[in-house]
Amino acid sequence: MHITDVEFHQAASLDEALDLKQRFGAEAHVLAGGTDLLVELATGRTTTKHVISLSALDGLKQMAVLDDGSLAIGSLVTIAQLCNSPLISGKFTPIRETTIQMATPQIRNMATIGGNIAGAVPCADTPPILICMGATVGIQSADGHRTVPLREMFAGPRQTALKPNEIITSVTVPAQPDNSAAAYERFALRDGNAIPVAGVAGSITVGDAKQITQACITLASVAPIPRVVDDAGQDLVGKTIDEAVVDHIAEMCSNNAQPICDVRGSDDYRRRLVTVLTRRCLYRLRDMIGN
Amino acid sequence: MAQCLYTFNVNGHSQTVAADPLESLADVLRDRLHLTGTKKGCGAGDCGACTVLIDGSPVNTCLTPIGTVNGREITTIEGLAVNGELTPLQKAFVHEGGIQCGFCTPGMVISATHLLNDNPSPTTDEIKEALTGNLCRCTGYGGILRAVQRCDNYRGDGTCAKKAEPPADKSRKYDNVNISIPRVDAADKVTGRAVYTADVTLPNMAYGKLLGSPVAHGIIKKIDISKADALPGVLTILTGADVTDTLHGVSPARYDEEILAKTKVRHIGEPIAAVAAIDEATCKKALSLIDVEIEPLTPVLDPMQAVADGAPIVHERYKGNINTHVEQEFGDLEKGFADSYHVREEEFIGNHIQQAPMEPHASVATWDHDGTLVLYSSTQVPHYVQYMMAHVLHIPLGKIRVIRPAVGGGFGGKAATSPIDICSALLSKATGRPIKMVYTREETFTYGRGRHKQYMKFKLGVDKEGRIKAFKSEIYLDGGAYSSFGVATAYYAGSMIPTLYHLPAYRYDGYRIMTNKPACGAMRGHGVPQPRFAFECLLNMVADDIGMDPVEIRLRNAMDANTMTVNDLDIGSCEYKATLEQVREKSDWNNKYGKLPAGKGIGIGCGGFVSGAGYCIYRGQVQLSHEKPREHFQKKSIFPHANAIAKVSEDGMAVVLMIGAADIGQGSDTVLVQMCAESLGIPASRIRMRSEDSDISPIDLGAYSSRITLMGGHAVSRAGTAVVEKMKPYAAKLLGCDPSEVEARHATMFPRGNESHTVLWEEVARQYFNDKGPLVGTGCYKPPDGLGGDYKGATVGTSPAYSFGSAVCEVNVDLETGKVKVEKFTDYHDCGTPINPQSVHGQVEGAIVMSTGETIMEDIQFDEKGNILNPNLHGYLLMTIKDAPEIFSGLVDSYESRGPFGAKEIGEGSTLPVLGAVAHAIANATGVWIKDLPITPEKILNALRKKQESAEAPSLAATR
């Protein structure tokens, strides 16, 4: 596909964007931060006929903590905003700890949270931690608005639950319980600007005796979609984090990974990384709760 | 879709452009607003060369559609230096060695400017974080980091000017050499003014693109261009049928490349058609409309399978897929091994890596009305391009003018004449218009010419005292589909091993194998880094086996000055032992080696290189190759390898120095200016370099084999001396002394021993001009006659002088993931007397970071069809500023009597110790040797698992 053959639409309002999406459906590619589009057009990975630019939709570039303590993030909020916003503090800090590891300052200034989700690449960093924190996605179309748990958004590599006429407008992270913690451990082949070879996000909520009352473990980059290891979450309930538990959960997560072999590593290596990263993640959660 | 009007603010001024909304901001800035300081290095947001500020934040303009930029504020590199006054940060880049090729510099400066705007006193970690999206392939980030850290020192007036002109120190032997002056091109590079080939725009210029083969091995059945030809905007299309049958290449005995494939394709991406059109977008569209039918043949991708019986044949002329076989034996090998107390054999495998300079190759061609080809090329060897263009176009060299604009790094990848050099000329001829062709990052990978992957079988014997008795090397080099430099590579892989240690007996068998992959070529350290890595590893293993310290075993075998090696290489100055002793002391080796906790490691590696190849790549004189008589090899250079002209301006205030030596970022223009200034007796600031144009500058063979400092240095200093000789009679008349007594220094001339009785240098120059007209001096350099032995291949490895160096590496390995953090390097080199110490350290730092990446992360990977799986800078990983280790670079006292002012090379020798040092440090940290490159975390973990399994196995057996 050549850029001269693609029709470009600069939406002046969300309504206009939704109208365009309604009209062109699957033939239209939504342009948010744009870190992928020009590369995908150049390499032929995208053969879209229409591009709908959201760059003028300032309303989607805001974030706020709502009355119920949840964090509402507009879908066009950039990764850099998530790194720098004073709203990302307290129990929301794991979001910053994740985003600061992503890509480069330049990319973080462009890339958006909506794009990181809608792109649905298996190695995306934000979905696993946000899933563990119970995030939901606000989706809008000409038909109306709906809310979908983030963990239900992904259908496969580069495939989401979005219908052809829908656009992501927000991501909401609920208020995190006082006695909870969330963390993301990733492994990459170099220290700067590297795509994760594997990642493990985790969250726990504990009772008074530090026994776990709720837990979620989600794997990055080792399955077609962010892999929520439900068995691990369930097995953790009622336990405290000790070596035996960690070993058990780490093995379970490694078995639940469905990694591919590619230039960054073999499936075998990725499974071993999942074991190591799960252990590190759980121990970190324990330390966080301890504090 | 139709173009739209976009209005935005650039560097404080409103601009309106008509553009397709999905055109990148990078293209709009460069092509429509002519703000070419914004560079395109990857087109995928990986390298950061195109970084600008949009509304104050750094972004990648290659990813930014112009349609999203309406109404926004943009600051490019051109917007920083207000009224030409460099910002303090820009001055810091100039003076702290933050600039080499300069291609990453604009983006780097933009990112750093943004950091300092927000945070005037950043920590080192904050600087690294801010610059992690800007790749640099030259500096190793050391100079860049120092520039940002020391930016405060450059605030206020005059700092720059004061620093540029160090006060004359009369006690120094030299005024202009052995001193760190800023690069002569630094100010242009830091402001975005420097013009690279892709920045060149000529009137009525059109664009060209190549169609690459989609299969790795096949027979071309049909190429139908009719649909593409009918596309509006297409000017012409060439296929194999339209071009000469003359084959080209690098080694004259192995010219085997077609300009455009005629009947057979041998690797994915091999050019099969060339399109010229009014713009690049039309070119790309036209390529997609060319109908190609290729009957696929089985590709052969593994060199060890390529030599097996019945393997598919890549070229009929290379039987058994063997491109060249080197067989050399020196001394009594059998006796050497028989006399050995300990013998160890090991196999090692290298990796297929790419030079990946930040600037992709570019060419712009146009023909003058008199039939002269004018070719702008991002080449490191303008003369060989001229020679090869003459060869394929069948026109005399005198009808070819090669212009080498600023070059954004080469490292060997730009040392051959490229398909776009040739095709831009052919498309320009066919269309009557100037044609620009620029490789995408992916095309630089499919064009190839990277480092040969070598499969090495080594056998080393030592006596009880650790003295080497014999060494045997058998190497298979994966050459890819064409010869290119590869014959020389195969010889270099053997010839350079004996320069570091006394080897009484040595055998080398080298086989360069053809495979259906892009051709490999010459890369920094040409053929030597992998065998050197393997040898240094094996030496460390042997030291361990016999219970000897690795530094000690080296000292016992180390090369000495004034030695003829076993393979007849003439070593002059050699301070190798001093480098070993210095790194041992500086790194605190004795207190660390063998005494570090698990996961921490320290290792040593050494290496050295030629200071210029002893012989030209082609035989005989400078002449169109078709018209050359068959010439027998003569053991002398037929014509001078470096040639210079120094022309004094008529008022005596400036000297224009002309030499065709290619500054590709390594800094040759600067050191040549320094050496010429020294022999002229004037400050370097009075010299202007003209090295870029073959119409102006006489031949220098170019930037390869680390030859310019020594060879070019002699030529320019001799040209300077020639000028002074012409001035002496006029000075003598003014001074009232004998011409033989006249000396020139500090821009004055005076009788020897009486520096207070002076006449101004320029006054003497004016007197000369008044009397005789133009004041011009010339100089040239030929390597010494008779270099090398009398065996086949004896010329490869010959040089007037050799460098030596030692490096100690310290690592921290995460034993759970295998991740290696290279923490520290301590390096000492013998590069003779350095002309510009800051440039030398810049080469060392750059080499350490590049070669560390080569050791632990760089690797071109192919699928089973011959596709490159990572032809981009997010799959093919270069070290970022966050990955770069802390580096100490030191120099030992040395003087090379065959070098100008005692100088030798540093550019390639600096890479050679690195791989072995990193590998040794990892082995020291983990207890396992990884013998195939790159040493990835996965390989380390696999080796640790294997070790653990074999450790457990006997105990399991025992319990049964």
Side-chain angles (χ1 to χ4, degrees):
Chain A
M1 187 54 70
H2 303 281
I3 59 167
T4 46
D5 299 333
V6 180
E7 189 118 6
F8 184 84
H9 309 271
Q10 180 70 47
S13 67
L14 180 58
D15 284 345
E16 188 185 343
L18 295 172
D19 281 349
L20 289 162
K21 198 76 178 106
Q22 184 75 21
R23 246 169 79 200
F24 301 119
E27 294 201 327
H29 187 114
V30 168
L31 175 63
T35 55
D36 293 334
L37 178 72
L38 290 191
V39 178
E40 296 197 347
L41 284 169
T43 56
R45 188 179 270 151
T46 293
T47 53
T48 190
K49 290 187 178 149
H50 299 270
V51 167
I52 303 168
S53 169
L54 307 184
S55 66
L57 307 189
D58 290 345
L60 301 185
K61 298 175 183 173
Q62 315 295 324
M63 60 176 137
V65 174
L66 306 181
D67 290 344
D68 64 357
S70 62
L71 176 68
I73 308 169
S75 59
L76 294 183
V77 166
T78 63
I79 302 301
Q81 277 176 276
L82 293 174
C83 293
N84 299 327
S85 168
L87 298 183
I88 309 291
S89 60
K91 292 288 180 192
F92 295 128
T93 305
I95 298 173
R96 189 206 342 272
E97 289 169 355
T98 300
T99 54
I100 196 72
Q101 299 184 64
M102 292 169 62
T104 67
Q106 292 93 319
I107 296 285
R108 293 199 294 263
N109 282 330
M110 302 172 73
T112 64
I113 185 68
N116 204 238
I117 291 168
V121 293
C123 57
D125 282 303
T126 62
I129 186 71
L130 292 174
I131 288 171
C132 285
M133 296 173 80
T136 57
V137 182
I139 296 171
Q140 201 128 6
S141 71
D143 304 333
H145 185 272
R146 66 178 177 126
T147 302
V148 174
L150 178 56
R151 64 171 293 178
E152 292 170 18
M153 272 300 289
F154 302 99
R158 299 173 189 274
Q159 290 165 7
T160 65
L162 285 176
K163 294 176 190 148
N165 65 344
E166 289 182 327
I167 292 173
I168 296 177
T169 54
S170 67
V171 177
T172 303
V173 186
Q176 303 292 301
D178 283 344
N179 46 355
S180 71
Y184 178 55
E185 291 282 341
R186 85 206 278 271
F187 178 85
L189 293 171
R190 64 179 179 188
D191 290 347
N193 187 18
I195 297 164
V197 183
V200 176
S203 65
I204 55 171
T205 306
V206 298
D208 293 339
K210 307 280 187 204
Q211 85 285 7
I212 294 169
T213 57
Q214 187 274 334
C216 178
I217 306 285
T218 307
L219 313 181
S221 217
V222 291
I225 61 171
R227 175 82 174 161
V228 184
V229 188
D230 285 320
D231 290 350
Q234 284 157 20
D235 273 18
L236 280 166
V237 171
K239 308 245 171 55
T240 53
I241 296 175
D242 60 24
E243 207 177 317
V245 168
V246 167
D247 285 349
H248 167 68
I249 299 296
E251 192 188 339
M252 180 181 273
C253 288
S254 178
N255 292 336
N256 266 272
Q258 303 165 291
I260 55 165
C261 285
D262 67 7
V263 293
R264 284 182 272 281
S266 70
D267 52 350
D268 170 61
Y269 181 56
R270 284 189 158 98
R271 283 184 197 281
R272 281 186 283 164
L273 285 175
V274 169
T275 306
V276 174
L277 297 173
T278 305
R279 296 170 60 89
R280 289 179 182 181
C281 184
L282 289 172
Y283 282 127
R284 224 173 100 201
L285 292 172
R286 185 177 71 175
D287 290 347
M288 291 165 82
I289 290 294
N291 295 337
Chain B
M1 82 178 253
Q3 296 199 338
C4 301
L5 286 182
Y6 295 99
T7 300
F8 45 92
N9 193 302
V10 182
N11 299 329
H13 299 284
S14 179
Q15 297 276 4
T16 300
V17 296
D20 188 285
L22 287 171
E23 259 184 77
S24 72
L25 176 57
D27 286 341
V28 170
L29 289 171
R30 290 175 50 78
D31 298 342
R32 294 171 195 264
L33 301 177
H34 306 295
L35 295 171
T36 52
T38 299
K39 302 300 179 195
K40 282 174 69 179
C42 71
D46 299 319
C47 78
C50 68
T51 304
V52 305
L53 302 181
I54 298 187
D55 296 337
S57 295
V59 300
N60 301 109
T61 54
C62 68
L63 301 178
T64 306
I66 192 68
T68 63
V69 179
N70 219 18
R72 302 176 79 177
E73 297 267 346
I74 295 165
T75 305
T76 70
I77 188 69
E78 291 89 349
L80 296 186
V82 177
N83 297 331
E85 172 70 15
L86 302 191
T87 66
L89 178 67
Q90 288 176 313
K91 290 178 188 171
F93 266 76
V94 168
H95 292 286
E96 297 291 345
I99 302 164
Q100 287 187 27
C101 86
F103 202 77
C104 76
T105 306
M108 198 70 81
V109 170
I110 288 280
S111 287
T113 297
H114 171 71
L115 168 72
L116 295 174
N117 286 345
D118 280 2
N119 179 0
S121 305
T123 64
T124 298
D125 283 346
E126 286 169 339
I127 297 169
K128 289 183 176 180
E129 180 56 46
L131 301 182
T132 189
N134 294 85
L135 294 174
C136 170
R137 194 59 159 163
C138 299
T139 66
Y141 304 102
I144 291 166
L145 192 59
R146 287 190 289 278
V148 182
Q149 285 170 330
R150 298 176 188 172
C151 178
D152 272 347
N153 299 346
Y154 297 87
R155 296 191 198 282
D157 293 337
T159 319
C160 189
K162 205 167 69 202
K163 282 221 156 191
E165 198 83 71
D169 176 356
K170 306 230 168 177
S171 66
R172 284 175 55 89
K173 186 175 174 196
Y174 300 124
D175 300 315
N176 293 292
V177 301
N178 196 13
I179 190 167
S180 297
I181 67 166
R183 298 174 59 100
V184 296
D185 53 2
D188 279 347
K189 286 177 171 175
V190 83
T191 52
R193 280 176 51 160
V195 176
Y196 296 76
T197 302
D199 303 337
V200 171
T201 299
L202 299 175
N204 198 33
M205 188 174 79
Y207 295 79
K209 269 271 161 215
L210 297 175
L211 180 66
S213 169
V215 301
H217 198 190
I219 305 292
I220 298 172
K221 290 292 178 191
K222 190 186 85 181
I223 302 179
D224 181 356
I225 61 166
S226 55
K227 273 185 276 177
D229 212 22
L231 184 72
V234 170
L235 302 171
T236 194
I237 300 176
L238 302 176
T239 67
D242 306 312
V243 299
T244 174
D245 288 340
T246 302
L247 300 173
H248 66 100
V250 176
S251 301
R254 304 275 198 297
Y255 289 162
D256 53 16
E257 295 182 60
E258 291 170 333
I259 295 169
L260 297 167
K262 288 172 178 280
T263 54
K264 196 176 181 193
V265 290
R266 297 181 175 89
H267 70 87
I268 284 175
E270 176 165 0
I272 51 182
V275 174
I278 53 166
D279 54 33
E280 252 196 347
T282 307
C283 287
K284 286 181 193 164
K285 202 165 179 176
L287 293 183
S288 69
L289 296 173
I290 297 176
D291 208 1
V292 183
E293 199 182 308
I294 298 176
E295 179 191 322
L297 301 172
T298 307
V300 53
L301 301 169
D302 180 337
M304 304 315 279
Q305 287 170 12
V307 291
D309 285 345
I313 294 295
V314 181
H315 291 261
E316 288 305 324
R317 65 188 281 194
Y318 304 130
K319 302 297 174 204
N321 288 321
I322 295 175
N323 178 221
T324 200
H325 173 207
V326 186
E327 189 181 2
Q328 297 176 342
E329 187 163 335
F330 311 96
D332 191 338
L333 200 77
E334 248 175 72
K335 184 173 182 308
F337 282 121
D339 289 351
S340 294
Y341 162 73
H342 178 63
V343 175
R344 183 157 175 171
E345 284 182 82
E346 291 287 346
E347 294 187 14
F348 299 86
I349 305 176
N351 44 348
H352 186 165
I353 70 160
Q354 186 83 356
Q355 293 86 355
M358 285 298 102
E359 179 207 28
H361 305 63
S363 309
V364 179
T366 185
W367 293 79
D368 285 349
H369 289 292
D370 69 352
T372 300
L373 169 67
V374 182
L375 177 67
Y376 298 76
S377 175
S378 57
T379 179
Q380 53 191 98
V381 288
H383 172 65
Y384 289 122
V385 170
Q386 192 184 31
Y387 187 82
M388 196 47 53
M389 295 302 290
H391 174 77
V392 295
L393 297 171
H394 309 110
I395 58 174
L397 276 80
K399 297 294 274 183
I400 297 169
R401 177 183 175 198
V402 175
I403 300 176
R404 173 202 52 81
V407 175
F411 314 109
K414 295 170 181 168
T417 305
S418 73
I420 56 174
D421 287 332
I422 299 171
C423 289
S424 61
L426 295 178
L427 290 172
S428 175
K429 187 95 181 174
T431 59
R433 296 172 66 163
I435 297 287
K436 180 193 284 191
M437 300 182 80
V438 183
Y439 273 155
T440 62
R441 180 55 63 180
E442 179 168 357
E443 286 171 324
T444 68
F445 279 91
T446 51
Y447 166 58
R449 320 291 147 156
R451 176 136 24 246
H452 290 70
K453 178 171 183 152
Q454 300 186 32
Y455 298 71
M456 298 162 280
K457 297 178 189 176
F458 279 13
K459 180 177 175 184
L460 180 65
V462 298
D463 69 13
K464 249 184 177 151
E465 281 72 46
R467 289 194 176 79
I468 297 169
K469 305 298 289 180
F471 175 60
K472 185 170 176 291
S473 162
E474 183 180 343
I475 299 180
Y476 295 80
L477 300 93
D478 185 353
Y482 293 99
S483 293
S484 188
F485 273 92
V487 176
T489 317
Y491 280 97
Y492 266 117
S495 69
M496 294 303 291
I497 293 298
T499 65
L500 225 56
Y501 305 105
H502 294 283
L503 301 183
Y506 174 43
R507 182 180 171 89
Y508 170 57
D509 285 277
Y511 303 85
R512 185 176 189 270
I513 313 300
M514 309 307 287
T515 54
N516 291 114
K517 294 191 276 197
C520 291
M523 178 171 172
R524 198 175 193 178
H526 198 179
V528 193
Q530 290 175 16
R532 176 55 65 198
F533 145 79
F535 187 93
E536 294 295 303
C537 286
L538 183 54
L539 191 59
N540 288 329
M541 292 173 187
V542 164
D544 211 23
D545 292 344
I546 64 170
M548 187 172 287
D549 181 82
V551 178
E552 183 57 34
I553 200 170
R554 285 172 169 76
L555 285 168
R556 290 185 184 194
N557 291 288
M559 185 52 59
D560 294 294
N562 305 316
T563 304
M564 188 66 81
T565 67
V566 69
N567 58 340
D568 296 325
L569 302 180
D570 186 3
I571 306 288
S573 65
C574 174
E575 300 297 338
Y576 176 35
K577 286 177 185 164
T579 69
L580 280 165
E581 280 157 0
Q582 292 277 14
V583 292
R584 178 164 65 181
E585 190 186 325
K586 182 79 184 171
S587 69
D588 200 17
W589 174 269
N590 289 343
N591 288 317
K592 289 179 179 167
Y593 185 68
K595 295 164 187 162
L596 299 173
K600 291 259 183 195
I602 186 167
I604 187 165
C606 301
F609 206 61
V610 298
S611 302
Y615 295 90
C616 182
I617 288 176
Y618 61 85
R619 284 183 190 175
Q621 59 184 356
V622 181
Q623 184 183 357
L624 186 56
S625 60
H626 311 288
E627 295 171 351
K628 272 189 186 182
R630 276 181 72 86
E631 284 177 79
H632 290 289
F633 173 68
Q634 298 180 61
K635 242 177 158 181
K636 62 176 190 177
S637 57
I638 306 300
F639 63 91
H641 291 192
N643 300 275
I645 301 170
K647 187 194 87 170
V648 183
S649 70
E650 289 74 3
D651 68 348
M653 292 304 291
V655 173
V656 179
L657 176 59
M658 297 169 256
I659 174 169
D663 194 325
I664 57 173
Q666 83 283 40
S668 59
D669 276 1
T670 305
V671 294
L672 293 176
V673 161
Q674 288 181 261
M675 287 186 271
C676 188
E678 189 63 38
S679 47
L680 285 165
I682 58 174
S685 56
R686 285 208 197 175
I687 300 184
R688 279 198 300 278
M689 177 55 109
R690 291 268 71 87
S691 61
E692 73 280 9
D693 186 338
S694 68
D695 266 13
I696 295 170
S697 320
I699 287 175
D700 175 277
L701 291 182
Y704 71 99
S705 76
S706 291
R707 52 175 296 289
I708 295 181
T709 298
L710 191 147
M711 298 192 184
H714 275 305
V716 298
S717 76
R718 286 168 187 171
T721 302
V723 167
V724 171
E725 287 302 316
K726 286 184 176 176
M727 293 167 76
K728 277 182 178 175
Y730 294 85
K733 202 182 282 177
L734 291 165
L735 291 164
C737 66
D738 190 83
S740 66
E741 292 178 288
V742 172
E743 281 197 8
R745 212 176 161 178
H746 306 136
T748 64
M749 300 188 106
F750 50 86
R752 187 170 303 115
N754 187 4
E755 288 199 37
S756 54
H757 181 44
T758 62
V759 57
L760 288 175
W761 197 96
E762 56 268 29
E763 180 57 29
V764 181
R766 287 192 285 259
Q767 298 277 328
Y768 180 97
F769 176 67
N770 291 346
D771 196 28
K772 289 248 176 88
L775 174 51
V776 174
T778 69
C780 67
Y781 176 78
K782 282 183 174 185
D785 288 353
L787 288 179
D790 293 315
Y791 56 93
K792 185 168 182 252
T795 59
V796 180
T798 58
S799 179
Y802 296 84
S803 70
F804 301 88
S806 302
V808 167
C809 172
E810 292 170 67
V811 301
N812 189 5
V813 182
D814 181 336
L815 297 174
E816 289 187 330
T817 62
K819 178 84 193 300
V820 174
K821 177 67 190 169
V822 178
E823 293 185 324
K824 200 172 169 191
F825 253 94
T826 308
D827 183 286
Y828 270 90
H829 256 83
D830 163 14
C831 64
T833 302
I835 302 301
N836 185 321
Q838 186 182 64
S839 285
V840 169
H841 296 307
Q843 288 294 304
V844 171
E845 289 176 334
I848 286 174
V849 172
M850 177 186 270
S851 304
T852 298
E854 172 171 3
T855 316
I856 64 173
M857 62 175 76
E858 294 187 28
D859 195 21
I860 298 176
Q861 298 185 36
F862 293 85
D863 70 9
E864 71 286 356
K865 290 179 178 162
N867 288 294
I868 298 177
L869 293 167
N870 52 350
N872 50 59
L873 299 182
H874 49 270
Y876 185 86
L877 299 181
L878 311 183
M879 303 267 281
T880 72
I881 192 169
K882 278 185 169 177
D883 298 276
E886 179 193 336
I887 296 168
F888 174 85
S889 165
L891 301 173
V892 296
D893 282 342
S894 174
Y895 187 89
E896 169 56 56
S897 59
R898 278 179 169 175
F901 309 103
K904 298 192 283 191
E905 78 89 32
I906 190 66
E908 294 182 88
S910 48
T911 65
L912 290 161
V914 181
L915 289 78
V918 175
H920 187 208
I922 293 171
N924 186 242
T926 59
V928 289
W929 277 100
I930 311 296
K931 296 182 292 174
D932 58 328
L933 298 173
I935 304 174
T936 60
E938 180 167 357
K939 286 180 189 170
I940 292 171
L941 227 52
N942 287 344
L944 286 171
R945 178 164 63 181
K946 204 170 156 193
K947 188 186 172 191
Q948 196 182 355
E949 283 168 2
S950 59
E952 282 166 6
S955 61
L956 278 176
T959 56
R960 266 185 210 133

